[in-house]
Structure formats: C-alpha cells, structure tokens
Amino acid sequence: MHIDAATQLLLDARHSGLALDWRRLAVGDAETAYAVQDAQLRRLGPVGGWKVGSKGDGSTPGCAPLPLSGILPSGARLAGPQWRMRGLEVELALRVGRDFDPGTQLPDEAELRTVFDAILPAIEVVETRLGHPPCGNPWAGMADLQSHGALVTGQPQPLPPQLSLRTVEASLVIDGQPITRTSGGNPADLWPMLGWLAQHCAQRGQPWRRGQIITTGSCTGLQLARGGLLVEAALEGVGAVSLQFAN
C-alpha cells in the first residue's frame, strides 16, 4: 500500500471516530509503518514527544511520535467520538531539557542524564483507529501510532539519582475504586531503551527537542474505563495524575 493511501485511511478514521478494518491497511514492515507515522504527524501538527516500549527480552523496541495537541495536563476532560476504547496505561515519562542529537554514537545513561531535566507521572490513553479485532498485523498497529490516543501528565519532578522501571510502583483508581497496583510492572531496561530511541529519532531526521515528553511504556498493563468516571493514577515517589472521559 502506498504510504499516502495508508496515511489517509488512518486520518479519516481518526477524524470520523469510525473504526478502520485493519485488513485494509496493507503495511508490511517497520520501515513502512514508521513512514506512515511520520506522514500522519505532518498533518496532525508538531511532534510533542515520543512513546517507546520494550519487552525487555533483547528484541528491538518500538516507538511512535506523539502529536503535541494530544499531550495534556492532569485533570484533562476527554470528549468526542474518538474515545471509543478508553484504554489506560500508567507510565513513567521524562522531559527533554535540551535539544539532543546523538549522532552515530549510542548514548549511555550518563549522557542521557544530561539530556532529561524531569520525570513525570503519566496516563497514556490507548485508542486504536483499527477495527475488526483482533488485529493480525503488528505493522498496522505500529502505523496507527501504536494505538496512541493522548498522554496526560502530572507535575514534573527532578530526576532522581537512581531510576529503573523495574522498581516503579504504580497504581490506578477509577471512580474511587482501586483497579490495579504493581511494582516493577514494566520489564523494559530504561536507559538502553532510551538510548535506542534517541538514535532512532535522529536517524529519522527528528532528533529530540527541548520540552518534548518521552513516555516509556505501561507499568500497569492495559485497563479500560467507562465514560463519566474519574481516573486517578500515581507513581510512588513521582506523583499523581488524573483525567476524566465525558459521558
């Protein structure tokens, strides 16, 4: 499928709120999926950040750029037909403190610590544009910005001396009812994953810019919410963040 055609199908689904049958999205590899991501962002507006995730098993991470318009402050109220799935993932995010292009050298933890100036609690709202589940093509899901809907962030905090996803304690409460609480629920090796992302973004011609938010994958697994309910999440020692879907 031509990149422009795939991009238009995804954008039409995004703006209409009507699901696109994933079998119509003939994206067959990572290179094409990332090209479709980039083409969408050229239409959706500037890149406000990136999402990255890793299974922690040595396989290559996956990522997607995030539209700046979808990075929202805690307390955001989400309304409209596009919020069909209303998936929730509690995540640790980091804020880029300076423009950064690593060149050909893979950056290590020491260098990356000079790039980030804060950490933030975040809720990624998971919202696929693809219908007829389950999706049998992982590249279609990647092209769909890895099912990114929005990123709601809490207050930034200083970068701590030690930071590992495998020790993060995360909780999610919906309508006052505890839904899940995890410790080390994200298996990714944080700093190598971020190093990969920095180099990957630079190779795509989109090196990190000051103020961008990098979110690092789910600490709680995917949870679902109904409309009208208050969603509250927390990362121990980092802070709290909340959102609400309209009825």
Side-chain angles (χ1 to χ4, degrees):
M1 172 173 277
H2 194 276
I3 289 167
D4 289 344
T7 300
Q8 192 62 56
L9 284 171
L10 285 166
L11 290 174
D12 287 347
R14 175 182 289 269
H15 295 315
S16 70
L18 301 176
L20 166 68
D21 189 327
W22 65 265
R23 294 169 297 186
R24 296 181 61 198
L25 200 64
V27 177
D29 54 42
E31 181 179 1
T32 304
Y34 285 140
V36 173
Q37 289 181 1
D38 290 343
Q40 288 176 81
L41 264 292
R42 287 194 289 271
R43 302 270 294 276
L44 292 172
V47 175
W50 293 82
K51 63 176 290 184
V52 62
S54 169
K55 297 177 181 178
D57 59 1
S59 59
T60 302
C63 69
L66 310 183
L68 179 62
S69 59
I71 300 178
L72 307 171
S74 183
R77 186 174 183 271
L78 306 181
Q82 68 269 39
W83 309 112
R84 296 179 295 106
M85 181 177 174
R86 295 189 293 270
L88 306 166
E89 293 182 344
V90 184
E91 306 194 1
L92 175 72
L94 299 92
R95 187 177 66 192
V96 178
R98 63 179 176 89
D99 292 357
F100 181 59
D101 185 337
T104 59
Q105 187 69 31
L106 189 68
D108 60 12
E109 177 179 348
E111 184 173 12
L112 289 167
R113 280 183 168 276
T114 72
V115 175
F116 296 110
D117 66 357
I119 58 174
L120 309 90
I123 302 172
E124 184 183 15
V125 179
V126 178
E127 199 63 59
T128 180
R129 269 59 60 179
L130 305 180
H132 200 84
C135 178
N137 180 4
W139 308 121
M142 181 176 284
D144 184 32
L145 302 185
Q146 289 191 326
S147 300
H148 174 72
L151 188 72
V152 180
T153 62
Q155 289 297 312
Q157 303 294 331
L159 206 64
Q162 301 294 326
L163 187 60
S164 169
L165 293 173
R166 295 173 184 175
T167 60
V168 170
E169 295 187 10
S171 61
L172 180 68
V173 174
I174 300 178
D175 196 31
Q177 299 299 312
I179 301 300
T180 186
R181 185 175 183 89
T182 61
S183 180
N186 187 336
D189 197 350
L190 177 63
W191 297 107
M193 180 175 68
L194 291 172
W196 174 88
L197 180 66
Q199 194 168 69
H200 171 90
C201 293
Q203 289 170 350
R204 276 170 77 167
Q206 300 182 68
W208 294 346
R209 299 302 181 195
R210 181 182 178 185
Q212 288 183 342
I213 303 296
I214 312 297
T215 192
T216 60
S218 179
C219 295
T220 55
L222 178 65
Q223 309 293 330
L224 302 177
R226 300 195 311 274
L229 302 184
L230 177 64
V231 175
E232 300 171 287
L235 297 179
E236 189 72 27
V238 181
V241 57
S242 67
L243 63 85
Q244 188 168 17
F245 293 102
N247 282 315

